[in-house]
Amino acid sequence: MPFTPNHASFDRPDSQGSGFASASPKRGQESGTTGTSLDGRLFDTRNHSLKLAEPLSPEDMTVQASDDASPTKWHLAHVTWFFENFVLAPHLDGYRIFDDDFNYCFNSYYEALGPRHPRARRGLLTRPSAERVLAYRQHVDEALQRLLARDDAQNGEIARLLEIGINHEQQHQELLLTDILALFAANPLHPAYQAGPTQTDAKAPDALGWLDIDGGIISIGHGGEGYSWDNELPAHDALVRPFKLADRLVSNAEWLAFIEDGGYQTASLWLADGWMTVNREAWDSPLYWHKTDAGWAQMSLQGLRPVVPAEPVAHVSYYEADAFARWAGKRLPTEFEWEAVARAHPEMPARNADVYRPCAADPVGNGASPPRQLFGEVWQWTASAYLAYPGYRPPEGAIGEYNGKFMVGQHVLRGSSCVTPAGHSRPTYRNFFYPHQRWQYLGLRLAAEID
C-alpha cells in the first residue's frame, strides 16, 4: 500500500493532523535514484503534497478562505485528477476511472474536459471525505506505477505529460501553503501552521543600494535545457535601455514609512483602479497586517507575529506596489529588465527551505553581494502586462488551456517566494496575477532611470 491513512485521526474531533502518511510506493530495481529519475521525482512530489497536509485537521482541509484560495483537500484531489485525465486515461490500457463524479468536482478550468464545480464554492465540498481523497490518490499512484513499468513511459509523450504533472503539482504545493495562510489568517485564534522563531529581530534593514545596468539587446525567454512552461517560450530578443535596479527588495520598514506618510490616503500616488480598490476595500496596510497596542503585527504561517522591519514586505497588490514606487520617486522594473539581471545571477540563495517566511537580506560584504533576494523570498511585481511572447502558440488540446487563455488583464511577477518549490525558481519563470490580488507572497523591487 503506497499510503496508509491514520483512520483514527479522521474520527477524533480534537485531531490536529490529517493522518496523511507519506511513505513512498515501491519502485522497480531499474527506477534509478529517488529524486533524480522520472519516477523518483514523481513520487517524491506526490509524497511531499501529503507531508504539507500533515499538520492539518480534516476541518482545516475542507474550508475555503476566499474566492482566490482553495481548500487543501481540493488541491490534493485536483492534482490527482490531472494525472488521471491527462496521463492515465489516455495512455494506460484498462485504467479504471476512480469516480466519474470527480471530473465535475476537481476540474479547475479546462473547458475541453466538461463542466465543473464553481471555484468560489469549493469549500462546500464536504464530500468526498478526506479519506476518500486519500483513496483516490492511492488508486492513481498505483496506476502511475504500472504505467512507469513500461519502457515507453520514460521518454516521449508519456514522459512529457508526467513532467507537466510533476510541475503542476509543485505549483499547487505553493498554492496549498498560501491558501492555508489565508485560512488561518481568517481565524480569530490566529493558529500557526508551523513553529516560528522564539525571538523577533527588530534590526532595521541596511541601506538600499543600486545597480547600474548597461542594457542592450538581450535574449528573453527559455531557450536551453530543462523544463519550462509554454508561456516562457519562444526565446526572443528584446531591447533593454540602461537602467538602475535596487540591490534588494523593499522592506517592511520602508513600507511602514509609506503608511506613516499617508501613502494609503494620497490619491495622487494611485492608479485610478487602484484608488477605487483602496477605498472600496478600506486598505490601509498590506494584507494580514494588524494594528495592535504593541504596534504592527502580521499573520504568517508561524502565527501572528510582530512586523520585522528588515524582512521584505509581502502580500501587497500591484496597485500598492505601483503607488509605493511612485511615492519613493522610482518605478517598478519591466519583466525584461528583471530577467536581464537575473540571467547573470541565476543561483538560488542558501536558506532553510523548511521555514516558510520571507527573510531579511544578508548585509553586503557579510557573505552576500548584490543583487540580493532575486529568488526565494517574495514574488516581485513588474510593470509588464502578462502577454504572449512574439510567436507564441499554446499547446494543442486541453493542456493548451493552462497558460495562454489567461494572457489578459494581469501583470507579470518574477523571482520566487519562500514557499516556491526550488525547481520553479529560474530567470525565465513568469508568474502572473490580477493587479488587485495579494494573498500570495507578493512584494517588489524598485527600478529607476540612470541620471
Side-chain angles (χ1 to χ4, degrees), residues 201-256:
D201 188 354
K203 182 176 59 179
D206 62 349
L208 190 68
W210 293 90
L211 305 171
D212 287 348
I213 310 300
D214 291 336
I217 297 176
I218 65 169
S219 178
I220 294 293
H222 196 277
E225 298 296 321
Y227 187 83
S228 71
W229 293 110
D230 58 276
N231 66 355
E232 300 171 59
L233 302 171
H236 61 286
D237 290 335
L239 174 63
V240 173
R241 299 188 179 278
F243 69 102
K244 295 196 299 184
L245 188 70
D247 78 331
R248 63 163 171 80
L249 300 169
V250 170
S251 69
N252 285 330
E254 288 149 348
W255 203 272
L256 283 165

Side-chain angles (χ1 to χ4, degrees), residues 317-374:
S317 66
Y318 173 81
Y319 294 139
E320 291 165 286
D322 178 78
F324 178 93
R326 193 171 290 111
W327 171 80
K330 309 300 180 184
R331 61 175 176 83
L332 299 177
T334 68
E335 65 167 317
F336 305 135
E337 291 172 335
W338 191 97
E339 186 171 327
V341 175
R343 280 177 172 273
H345 305 274
E347 64 280 356
M348 278 283 291
R351 58 169 294 145
N352 184 350
D354 293 328
V355 178
Y356 300 124
R357 66 184 183 93
C359 295
D362 291 329
V364 173
N366 185 26
S369 59
R372 297 167 291 167
Q373 301 176 303
L374 280 174

Side-chain angles (χ1 to χ4, degrees), residues 78 137 140 148 157 159 161 210 216 224 239 251 277-278 283 310 312 315 318 358 374 377 395 437 449:
H78 166 71
R137 290 181 66 93
V140 166
L148 281 161
E157 178 64 9
L161 291 170
W210 293 90
L239 174 63
S251 69
T277 303
V278 165
W283 288 352
H315 306 295
Y318 173 81
L374 280 174
E377 307 304 340
Q437 291 177 315
E449 314 308 331

Side-chain angles (χ1 to χ4, degrees), residues 399-435:
I399 204 77
E401 298 186 52
Y402 198 79
N403 282 310
K405 70 181 186 180
F406 298 110
M407 292 177 173
V408 61
Q410 305 196 60
H411 274 265
V412 174
L413 298 100
R414 292 303 194 102
S416 58
S417 83
C418 58
V419 297
T420 303
H424 295 249
S425 298
R426 54 181 176 267
T428 60
Y429 198 105
R430 304 175 79 200
N431 207 343
F432 53 93
F433 287 102
Y434 290 103

Side-chain angles (χ1 to χ4, degrees), residues 68-129:
D68 289 329
S70 296
T72 295
K73 188 174 70 175
W74 187 91
H75 284 299
L76 294 174
H78 166 71
V79 295
T80 304
W81 169 90
F82 188 95
F83 282 112
E84 181 174 67
N85 281 269
F86 287 97
V87 180
L88 294 173
H91 295 287
L92 183 61
D93 291 342
Y95 175 74
R96 175 181 61 82
I97 294 293
F98 182 78
D99 189 322
D100 290 333
D101 290 334
F102 280 19
N103 191 60
Y104 180 83
C105 293
F106 301 123
N107 180 1
S108 54
Y109 49 70
Y110 296 93
E111 299 286 347
L113 297 182
R116 69 213 61 85
H117 188 74
R119 174 172 182 165
R121 298 170 65 85
R122 290 171 183 170
L124 299 180
L125 291 171
T126 58
R127 303 294 177 92
S129 67

Side-chain angles (χ1 to χ4, degrees), residues 239-311:
L239 174 63
V240 173
R241 299 188 179 278
F243 69 102
K244 295 196 299 184
L245 188 70
D247 78 331
R248 63 163 171 80
L249 300 169
V250 170
S251 69
N252 285 330
E254 288 149 348
W255 203 272
L256 283 165
F258 172 69
I259 293 173
E260 292 166 359
D261 197 43
Y264 281 92
Q265 291 80 44
T266 306
S268 60
L269 297 175
W270 296 81
L271 296 169
D273 285 349
W275 185 240
M276 286 192 295
T277 303
V278 165
N279 286 279
R280 182 180 66 249
E281 303 296 333
W283 288 352
D284 62 359
S285 64
L287 184 63
Y288 306 142
W289 280 34
H290 300 266
K291 192 66 175 291
T292 72
D293 292 340
W296 284 102
Q298 66 182 134
M299 186 60 187
S300 70
L301 286 169
Q302 298 78 39
L304 189 66
R305 53 195 291 268
V307 168
V308 178
E311 288 181 356

